[in-house]
Amino acid sequence: QPHHRLLALYTLSDVSLDSYPAGGCTTTREALALGAAVVTLPARYLGSRWSKAYYGIMGVDDLVAVDEDDYVRLASRLGTDTAWRAEVQARIRAAVPRLYGRDEAVGAWQRTLLELANESR
């Protein structure tokens, strides 16, 4: 999809599914910025845990599944319970600014790289 069409799909979709086992990063941030509800199932490795991390920063954990059955249950509820979907999307829209303009990750990377440099000496 051209990028502008992908963004339009987020605004038109009732349910967005985070891919598994490698989840979204940029795509999840874009979807959340548009108020889309993204159902995620974190796996073991970092590449599948971005969406969960974003929701953690935002304080919205309704769409973080604990297993495959929960992933299906959440996606189904999101697609059929319009009142719940609207409530979750409203909380996403209200909380998504917490994802931007932050410098914690920069500081964490800086500390990690300095530690690695010091260890190699």
Side-chain angles (χ1 to χ4, degrees):
Q1 288 286 351
H3 191 246
H4 69 281
R5 287 188 183 174
L6 176 62
L7 296 178
L9 287 173
Y10 292 140
T11 64
L12 297 172
S13 299
D14 292 335
V15 181
S16 293
L17 300 176
D18 200 12
S19 55
Y20 183 87
C25 180
T26 301
T27 54
T28 297
R29 274 194 327 274
E30 289 175 340
L32 293 173
L34 295 169
V38 179
V39 180
T40 187
L41 175 57
R44 182 176 177 190
Y45 298 106
L46 175 65
S48 72
R49 304 182 72 77
W50 290 107
S51 299
K52 178 183 179 179
Y54 298 147
Y55 278 135
I57 291 167
M58 293 166 55
V60 177
D61 64 356
D62 307 67
L63 302 178
V64 179
V66 296
D67 57 28
E68 290 94 352
D69 290 337
D70 195 35
Y71 184 78
V72 171
R73 182 189 64 76
L74 290 170
S76 297
R77 181 174 181 200
L78 204 56
T80 58
D81 186 338
T82 57
W84 184 66
R85 180 175 62 246
E87 187 264 325
V88 171
Q89 288 174 322
R91 285 191 293 116
I92 288 169
R93 283 190 296 278
V96 78
R98 296 179 195 156
L99 292 179
Y100 303 102
R102 303 176 66 98
D103 62 2
E104 292 95 337
V106 174
W109 276 109
Q110 182 182 32
R111 287 187 298 279
T112 299
L113 293 173
L114 288 172
E115 287 173 17
L116 290 172
N118 288 331
E119 288 176 11
S120 68
R121 293 181 183 180

